Amino acid sequence: GAVLINVARGGLFDKDAVFRALESGHLGYLASDVAWVEPVDPNDPLVRHPNAYFTPHVGGVTDVSYDCMGAIVAEAAKNVLRGQAPGSDVTVVNHEAAAAARSAKTHP
């Protein structure tokens, strides 16, 4: 059977359908770094299936990923302190606060 690997979001697959596919052999293995609920129930039949492998949402936790995240945050902070937008790698969730910070920097 095929192999399903999910490192994105837990809700991307129908867990009951995946379980049935594992049981029937149409799906050979499931490897997932995410679950449909967190924390995942260790007694869930899908979690206990011998061909299913789960990690606790830490697949992206590496030295390289942390170095990249740190560089992005540092660059965003420098941009904001210069009165600029944080950058394209940063999602701003509080636009009013970001605008106020930029305005305070450019209009003391």
Side-chain angles (χ1 to χ4, degrees):
V3 175
L4 174 60
I5 300 172
N6 182 13
V7 295
R9 294 284 177 248
L12 289 181
F13 62 81
D14 178 333
K15 78 180 195 87
D16 296 328
V18 168
F19 181 77
R20 288 190 305 273
L22 282 168
E23 287 289 288
S24 72
H26 286 96
L27 184 62
Y29 294 92
L30 167 66
S32 188
D33 185 49
V34 292
W36 42 95
V37 296
E38 298 201 10
V40 70
D41 178 2
N43 294 312
D44 186 289
L46 182 56
V47 173
R48 298 184 62 79
H49 195 283
N51 290 2
Y53 300 89
F54 287 87
T55 55
H57 202 54
V58 295
V61 178
T62 66
D63 290 342
V64 172
S65 69
Y66 277 160
D67 287 348
C68 289
M69 285 186 272
I72 290 169
V73 169
E75 188 63 29
K78 286 192 273 184
N79 287 344
V80 169
L81 290 172
R82 292 183 194 121
Q84 303 167 348
S88 61
D89 292 337
V90 175
T91 301
V92 176
V93 295
N94 188 338
H95 292 279
E96 294 81 16
R102 286 192 302 276
S103 179
K105 181 66 178 173
T106 58
H107 301 97

